[in-house]
Amino acid sequence: MLKVDHASVFFRARDGRTIHALDRVSLDIPDNSFVVALGASGCGKSTLLNAIAGFLPLSSGAITLDGRPVTRPGADRGVVFQKDTLLPWKSVLGNVALGLQFAGIPKPLRRARAKELLSLVGLKDFADAFPYELSGGMRQRVGIARSLAADPEVLLMDEPFGALDSLTREQMQELIISIWKATRKRIFFITHSIEEALFLGTQVVVMSPRPGRIVARFDLDFVSEFARTGDAGTIKTAPQFATLREEIRAILHGSDQIRSAAE
Amino acid sequence: MSDTIKTAGLLVRPTQDQPNTVDMKGFGAGEGSTLLISLATAVVLLTAWWLVARLGLVPRLFLPAPQEVLTQIGTVYRDGYAGASLGEHVSASLFRIAAAAAIAIASGIPIGLLMGLNRWAKGIFDTPIEFYWPLPPLAYLPLMIIWLGIGETSKVTLLVLAMFAPICLSAQAGVRSLPIERINAARSLGARHWQLLVSIVLPSALPEILTGIRIGFGVGWGTLVAAELIASNRGIGYMIMSASQFLATDVVFVGIGIIAACAFAFSLAVRILEATLVPWKGKI
C-alpha cells in the first residue's frame, strides 16, 4: 500500500510570495489499483507525483510505501515522464536495461529481461534502434518498459500520453491497461483528460487548484470491464460513462467558478 | 465514369511522363554542397598567385612562385633547415601540442564537471580561470620562461594553460545544459551518485566537451607557433622565424603550409571523433 497522509507543499516564488501548491492531500494506492489524478494545470497533481517519486520533499505530512517513509527517489517507484527522458546515446535495449545496469545485474541477464519487456510493449523488433529513430508513441513505450525493468512496487505516470496525437493516445491507453492486467502493478496516473481518467482508473481523484487539493473521489470499474471484454467503444458510449463524465466536468468547472467569484 | 476519364485527360498531359516537381523557396545559404565552389576558388587563388609571380608584379624576395615553394619542400625535407631536419621540427611541435592537450583534457574535463556540479568547486576555480583566461598567452610567456626556463616545460605549461580554459568551461556548460528530467529519471531507476556521474552527466556533457576540445586545439596551435617564434631552437615556428631572418620567403611559405596541414588534420580528427562518439548530437 502506498499511503499519502495529509501532504502539503509550499513553494517560495521568485518575488518572495509563498505558493500553496498542495493542501493536506490524503490518498491510498492499494494493491492492484489504478489511481488516476485528474485536474486542470496548476492543481498540484504533478507536485503530488513528484513528492511520491521522492523528487520533492513535503512541507508537512507523510508518504509511506508499505510502511517505509519515502524520502528520496528509488527503484521501488518507477516513473514515466510526459517528456521522454531516454538517453540518446543508448539503444532502445540499453535504455530499457538502464535500471538493471544501475542495480549491477550482469549484461546477459539484463538483455534478456529488457527483451521480454520490449515484447510486452510491442517493440521487440526495435531493440537495436536509437531513440531519435522512433516516433513519440514508440519512445513513450520504451519509457514504460524502462520503468518496469526495475520491477517497481508502483508505477507513477505523469501525463505520459499528453504529448501524443489522439489516435496514438487511445492505443497507448489500451496498452497500459494490458500491462496493468499482465503485471498487476499499482499505477498512479496523472491526466487532464476526463475521458482518459474514467477509462483507466479504478479510482479517480479530482483535484482543484489554488491551493491544490482533492475535491472529489470516484471508485470505478470501466477499466476492469475493458480488461475483460477488450471493447473500448461500448464502454465509452455507455450511459454511466457519459453521466460520470458530465458530473466530473461540472465539478471541474464549478471549482473554477467558485474561485473566480472569490477573486 | 466517362466524366472521370475526360477530366484525367485534361489534367495529365500524355506528352509529359515526369511531373514537374516543385520545392519551397529557401532563404540563406541552404543545404546544397559548397565543395565545388570552394575547390574552384582555391584554383583561382593559386592561379592568381602563379600569375603574379610569373609576371613579376612583386619581387621574388617577397612572393616566391608556387613551384619554387614546392621545390623548397623537397630541399628542406632532404637537407633540413636551421640545424634540424624537417621531421625534428614537426615532431618537436607535435610533441608539445600533444603533451599539452593530454594534460589539458585530463584535468579540464574533471574540473569542469566538478564546477558544474558543486557550488564550492565553481566558486574556487572560477576566480583563477576568469582572471587568466582572457589574457593572451604570449603576455605571460616571459613569466613562464623566467619561472620554468627556456626548455620544453615552459612551452608545454603555456599551451596547457591556453587549452585548459575552453575545455574546462565547455565541460561546465555541458553539465548546466543537462535537463533535470534526465537526472530524475535516472534517480528513480535507482542510480547512485557516481553512477549518475558516469552514466548520465559525462555522456550528456560530451558534445559540449568535444566542441571545447576543438576550440582548445585552435587556441593551442596559435599559441604554439607564437611561443616557438619567440623562444625555441626546434619547431615549425622556429623554422619560420629563422627563415624570415635570412629572407628565405619560400621556406616561410613551407612552414605556414605545414602548420595549416597539421591544424586541419587535428580539426578533422576531432570532427570524426564527434561523429563516432555523439552521432545523436542535435537530434534529441
Side-chain angles (χ1 to χ4, degrees):
Chain A
M1 171 91 88
L2 192 141
K3 206 172 174 60
V4 180
D5 187 23
H6 289 88
S8 292
V9 170
F10 297 88
F11 292 122
R12 186 167 303 285
R14 212 172 274 276
D15 57 6
R17 281 187 308 167
T18 306
I19 293 168
H20 197 173
L22 212 56
D23 184 28
R24 286 163 296 170
V25 166
S26 294
L27 185 71
D28 287 346
I29 305 178
D31 291 347
N32 298 337
S33 63
F34 198 136
V35 178
V36 180
L38 169 69
S41 51
C43 71
K45 53 194 194 301
S46 286
T47 308
L48 177 59
L49 185 136
N50 283 337
I52 297 175
F55 302 146
L56 182 76
L58 292 176
S59 298
S60 68
I63 298 174
T64 52
L65 177 59
D66 298 329
R68 289 164 286 130
V70 165
T71 50
R72 64 178 71 174
D76 51 354
R77 285 147 290 139
V79 184
V80 180
F81 298 81
Q82 173 172 15
K83 220 175 81 184
D84 81 83
T85 51
L86 304 176
L87 303 181
W89 55 87
K90 275 190 184 290
S91 68
V92 164
L93 194 76
N95 267 292
V96 174
L98 192 62
L100 303 171
Q101 184 194 330
F102 289 144
I105 288 169
K107 199 163 186 178
L109 227 66
R110 60 186 197 235
R111 285 182 68 90
R113 174 97 182 102
K115 281 199 170 135
E116 264 171 50
L117 286 162
L118 279 177
S119 53
L120 181 69
V121 298
L123 283 180
K124 66 172 186 298
D125 296 335
F126 292 88
D128 298 320
F130 279 84
Y132 56 80
E133 297 167 325
L134 304 182
S135 70
M138 288 157 94
R139 283 188 205 175
Q140 210 50 294
R141 285 169 193 245
V142 179
I144 293 170
R146 180 178 71 172
S147 63
L148 286 170
D151 199 20
E153 308 274 324
V154 56
L155 205 54
L156 309 172
M157 307 183 80
D158 190 357
E159 293 192 38
F161 313 145
L164 303 179
D165 64 88
S166 59
L167 290 177
T168 312
R169 194 175 178 137
E170 283 178 10
Q171 284 171 4
M172 295 293 283
Q173 289 169 356
E174 297 182 7
L175 174 77
I176 197 69
I177 293 176
S178 73
I179 289 173
W180 176 66
K181 193 177 153 193
T183 62
R184 307 310 293 171
K185 295 272 178 224
R186 288 170 276 197
I187 297 183
F188 179 64
F189 188 102
I190 283 180
T191 182
H192 54 241
S193 155
I194 301 175
E195 193 154 298
E196 186 165 84
L198 287 175
F199 185 56
L200 294 180
T202 57
Q203 189 190 142
V204 172
V205 294
V206 183
M207 296 184 70
S208 166
R210 288 186 264 173
R213 66 201 186 278
I214 294 176
V215 289
R217 292 167 202 263
F218 295 87
D219 287 317
L220 303 170
D221 205 26
F222 299 116
V223 63
S224 313
E225 196 182 326
F226 178 80
R228 216 170 36 245
T229 65
D231 183 1
T234 314
I235 295 170
K236 287 182 181 173
T237 50
Q240 309 103 292
F241 195 89
T243 317
L244 273 168
R245 188 174 59 211
E246 292 317 308
E247 192 178 330
I248 291 176
R249 198 189 301 279
I251 295 172
L252 286 170
H253 285 267
S255 67
D256 251 10
Q257 278 154 14
I258 293 166
R259 199 175 61 246
S260 51
E263 274 168 0
Chain B
M1 194 62 200
S2 60
D3 277 0
T4 322
I5 290 167
K6 265 184 205 160
T7 323
L10 279 176
L11 284 175
V12 183
R13 284 181 205 124
T15 45
Q16 247 179 324
D17 343 316
Q18 285 295 319
N20 182 20
T21 60
V22 293
D23 221 333
M24 188 79 86
K25 282 203 169 67
F27 183 73
E31 295 284 305
S33 170
T34 54
L35 185 67
L36 274 179
I37 307 172
S38 305
L39 280 178
T41 312
V43 169
V44 168
L45 287 174
L46 281 173
T47 316
W49 176 16
W50 178 78
L51 267 180
V52 168
R54 173 90 194 180
L55 296 174
L57 295 177
V58 177
R60 270 197 52 220
L61 188 59
F62 297 138
L63 188 72
Q67 64 271 26
E68 285 174 324
V69 174
L70 276 179
T71 347
Q72 197 60 47
I73 292 179
T75 317
V76 173
Y77 180 74
R78 264 195 319 278
D79 306 341
Y81 194 85
S85 73
L86 187 63
E88 283 172 320
H89 283 306
V90 173
S91 57
S93 294
L94 285 181
F95 164 77
R96 285 167 194 147
I97 199 153
I103 298 171
I105 289 170
S107 57
I109 294 176
I111 292 180
L113 292 179
L114 198 64
M115 284 173 73
L117 294 169
N118 184 288
R119 191 168 64 96
W120 276 90
K122 179 166 171 52
I124 290 169
F125 286 111
D126 244 353
T127 315
I129 290 177
E130 290 297 329
F131 172 72
Y132 95 82
W133 160 233
L135 296 174
L138 289 186
Y140 48 83
L141 175 60
L143 197 62
M144 292 292 131
I145 292 173
I146 295 170
W147 284 350
L148 301 167
I150 195 93
E152 292 301 316
T153 323
S154 61
K155 281 185 279 289
V156 171
T157 311
L158 184 82
L159 282 180
V160 169
L161 284 174
M163 298 175 83
F164 171 83
I167 295 172
C168 175
L169 294 179
S170 63
Q172 190 190 338
V175 177
R176 298 191 150 219
S177 66
L178 178 62
I180 185 67
E181 289 91 356
R182 199 176 275 174
I183 292 288
N184 276 344
R187 275 188 186 148
S188 74
L189 289 169
R192 283 180 290 276
H193 209 77
W194 61 270
Q195 286 175 325
L196 273 182
L197 189 71
V198 175
S199 308
I200 311 290
V201 176
L202 183 62
S204 293
L206 203 54
E208 266 97 344
I209 290 175
L210 285 174
T211 308
I213 290 177
R214 214 157 84 189
I215 297 172
F217 269 114
V219 179
W221 277 107
T223 313
L224 171 73
V225 174
E228 287 176 347
L229 288 175
I230 291 174
S232 182
N233 56 8
R234 285 276 191 289
I236 309 169
Y238 169 69
M239 191 178 96
I240 295 174
M241 195 61 192
S242 23
S244 82
Q245 277 161 357
F246 294 105
L247 289 177
T249 324
D250 42 4
V251 179
V252 173
F253 270 74
V254 171
I256 293 173
I258 291 172
I259 294 168
C262 289
F264 181 76
F266 268 88
S267 174
L268 194 68
V270 179
R271 262 180 222 219
I272 291 171
L273 206 62
E274 252 175 11
T276 27
L277 284 182
V278 289
W280 43 272
K281 187 180 177 183
K283 285 181 180 155
I284 213 164

